[in-house]
């Protein structure tokens, strides 16, 4: 019997995964916040729409609420990092022992918090470079092809059946024993690029006009990664940051877009996590800490949460 893919967080990335899995004929069920949200989904016709360059696809997908007690064997957590722990805690008692739980959150910190809430589940961390955004309720645009790395820091054995289903669904991915290296590397890239794009109010490419600021942050981040036992994530960080800035020059970073749309950012799981790790290791990061303070003040000045 196939395991149902329960999707917690029917936002951009959750919908992107749900529609591709459903399109491949795999059993998928959305977990919505409450009865009101479920009623909205049913009134909409119980389907999600995936918009790609090839056109629109409409997929009928089941849904339930967080308080439905049916057991869950496989869960994809696609909430923002700041919502993940509480959302998972609400359905922790429905997870069967050994349930597979994929955590799609960006940054670091939320994964450990979720894993601590569900010690009997197998938590699989993911780091994704795919891009999607919501065009309307229950409709997502696949904006950027990318890749998803998956791994379990506690157990290197790949979950073969799950990976085979991702393959069938056409979700580009690879299992890695070094998922923490991937997550730290992405965190460092995001810390070096995203806050500066918010504070300078610019596209990624415009950061080439601030070479000293970028270089100083990369230098501190490289030291932090080494100090945290992540030398592979530290390797050639500055070169890669410059490569990403050039390759995404015309884009606005995800944090820039969050701020522009008045949405809460994931600052605590990026800069906040880096600064807290530095403090634990008594490693000095004066520029990164100053960047964290400036960003928090900027967010507060816009009426946005700074945690
Ligand atoms: P999103 O805001 O579009 O979707 C999150 C969804 O979770 C929302 O629909 C929200 O209502 C839902 N949610 C929150 N709490 C819930 C709860 N208690 N019960 C049920 N639903 C709940 O976010 P997103 O852009 O899909 O991002 C999700 C994660 O993936 C983030 O950590 C983000 O950084 C990461 N990510 C996103 C992209 C992307 O292109 N969107 C790419 C890479 C990584
Ligand atoms: O991941 C990104 C983001 O915008 O969140 C990039 C493009 C790498 C910039 O940090």
């Amino acid at each position: 019997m196939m395991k149902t893919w329960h999707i917690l967080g029917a936002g951009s990335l959750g919908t992107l995964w749900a529609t591709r899995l459903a399109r491949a004929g795999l059993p998928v069920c959305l977990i919505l916040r409450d009865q009101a949200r479920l009623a909205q989904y049913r009134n909409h016709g119980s389907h999600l729409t995936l918009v790609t360059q090839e056109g629109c696809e409409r997929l009928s997908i089941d849904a339930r609420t967080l308080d439905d007690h049916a057991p869950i064997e496989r869960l994809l957590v696609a909430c923002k990092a700041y919502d993940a722990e509480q959302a998972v805690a609400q359905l922790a008692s429905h997870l069967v022992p050994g349930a597979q739980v994929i955590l799609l959150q960006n940054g670091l910190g939320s994964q450990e918090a979720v894993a601590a809430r569900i010690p009997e589940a197998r938590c699989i961390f993911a780091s994704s470079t795919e891009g999607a955004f919501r065009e309307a309720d229950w409709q997502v645009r696949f904006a950027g092809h990318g890749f998803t790395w998956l791994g379990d820091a506690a157990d290197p054995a790949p979950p073969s059946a799950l990976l085979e289903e991702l393959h069938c669904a056409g979700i580009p991915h690879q299992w890695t024993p070094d998922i923490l290296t991937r997550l730290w590397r992405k965190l460092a890239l995001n810390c070096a690029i995203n806050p500066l794009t918010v504070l300078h109010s610019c596209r990624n490419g415009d950061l080439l006009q601030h070479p000293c600021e970028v270089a100083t942050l990369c230098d501190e981040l490289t030291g932090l990664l080494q100090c945290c036992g992540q030398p592979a994530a530290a390797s050639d960080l500055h070169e890669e940051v410059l490569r990403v800035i050039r390759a995404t020059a015309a884009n606005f970073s995800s944090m820039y877009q969050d701020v522009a749309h008045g949405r809460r950012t994931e600052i605590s799981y990026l800069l906040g996590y880096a600064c807290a790790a530095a403090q634990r290791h008594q490693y000095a990061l004066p520029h990164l800490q100053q960047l964290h303070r400036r960003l928090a003040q900027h967010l507060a000045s816009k009426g946005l949460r700074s945690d």
Side-chain angles (χ1 to χ4, degrees), residues 106 186 189-190 193-194 204 244 248 252-255:
N106 203 10
K186 178 118 194 305
L189 283 165
N190 288 161
I193 299 174
N194 299 12
N204 293 354
V244 171
T248 62
F252 288 109
S253 75
S254 55
M255 190 180 273

Side-chain angles (χ1 to χ4, degrees), residues 201-220:
S201 190
C202 68
R203 293 176 194 267
N204 293 354
D206 298 327
L207 294 184
L208 294 173
Q209 289 159 27
H210 303 277
C212 296
E213 243 178 322
V214 173
T216 306
L217 292 178
C218 289
D219 198 37
E220 287 190 358

Side-chain angles (χ1 to χ4, degrees), residues 58-93:
R58 195 188 252 221
L59 284 307
S60 291
I61 293 177
D62 283 345
R64 56 182 262 189
T65 57
L66 277 169
D67 50 20
D68 185 318
H69 289 275
I72 296 175
E73 291 179 293
R74 185 178 287 160
L75 178 69
L76 180 76
V77 184
C79 308
K80 294 284 195 184
Y82 47 76
D83 282 327
E85 182 184 358
Q86 217 203 336
V88 170
Q90 282 177 271
L91 47 73
S93 60

Side-chain angles (χ1 to χ4, degrees), residues 106 128-130 186-195 197 204 207 240-241 244-245 247-248 251-258 266 270:
N106 203 10
S128 181
T129 60
E130 292 195 309
K186 178 118 194 305
L187 176 144
L189 283 165
N190 288 161
C191 284
I193 299 174
N194 299 12
T197 63
N204 293 354
L207 294 184
E240 189 167 357
V241 166
V244 171
I245 287 175
T248 62
N251 299 357
F252 288 109
S253 75
S254 55
M255 190 180 273
Y256 177 100
Q257 292 182 46
D258 282 341
E266 295 181 305
L270 298 168

Side-chain angles (χ1 to χ4, degrees), residues 7-16 31-34 37 66 77-84 86-88 90 104-107 110 127-134 186 254 258 263 266:
I7 313 283
L8 177 60
S12 308
L13 219 50
T15 300
L16 180 63
I31 302 182
L32 303 177
R33 208 181 274 275
D34 52 31
R37 195 74 183 130
L66 277 169
V77 184
C79 308
K80 294 284 195 184
Y82 47 76
D83 282 327
Q86 217 203 336
V88 170
Q90 282 177 271
L104 277 180
Q105 288 61 49
N106 203 10
S110 69
S127 179
S128 181
T129 60
E130 292 195 309
F133 63 88
R134 238 181 310 177
K186 178 118 194 305
S254 55
D258 282 341
R263 294 189 297 247
E266 295 181 305

